[in-house]
Amino acid sequence: MKRLLPIIVLMAPVLAAANDTDSRSGQPAANPKLQQMLEKIQAMQNCMKNVDKSALKALEQQAKQLGAEVKQLCAAGQRDAAQQRAIRFGQEIAGNKACN
């Protein structure tokens, strides 16, 4: 995810420029799927501008801690407890302001 996002962000202007005109005729391009994809990329760029990077970093640390906790529980043979902890963390993330 960390590597994919910068690639998408860097590709958006190129895709937008390519979509502005049809290279053969110089006429505006009429590819609705490409236009829809460009709109989604633009929306994602706008969303990423507003992300609280410190909150995201905190979530990353919590996820690392959870990973260690789940591995420890699994190693101790407590698979159900590990699964419940992971589910609870997923619910916490879903309700987290930084993720919405």
Side-chain angles (χ1 to χ4, degrees):
M1 178 68 177
K2 289 181 183 179
R3 293 182 185 151
L4 181 60
L5 185 61
I7 292 169
I8 291 173
V9 170
L10 292 173
M11 284 180 49
V14 174
L15 290 172
N19 190 42
D20 285 342
T21 60
D22 184 335
S23 61
R24 292 170 287 161
S25 66
Q27 297 295 319
N31 185 338
K33 287 184 180 179
L34 182 59
Q35 185 63 36
Q36 186 177 28
M37 182 176 70
L38 290 172
E39 289 170 3
K40 287 181 180 180
I41 289 172
Q42 183 66 42
M44 186 178 4
Q45 283 179 324
N46 291 338
C47 179
M48 291 307 294
K49 288 178 190 175
N50 299 323
V51 170
D52 181 354
K53 290 179 181 33
S54 62
L56 206 54
K57 191 72 172 170
L59 286 174
E60 182 181 358
Q61 291 299 336
Q62 289 175 347
K64 285 180 183 179
Q65 183 179 354
L66 171 77
E69 203 175 308
V70 167
K71 282 182 183 180
Q72 186 178 22
L73 287 168
C74 287
Q78 298 177 354
R79 183 183 178 280
D80 291 340
Q83 184 176 14
Q84 288 301 316
R85 179 64 187 108
I87 290 170
R88 201 167 55 247
F89 182 73
Q91 292 168 340
E92 291 169 14
I93 294 296
N96 191 305
K97 206 175 186 181
C99 297
N100 295 325

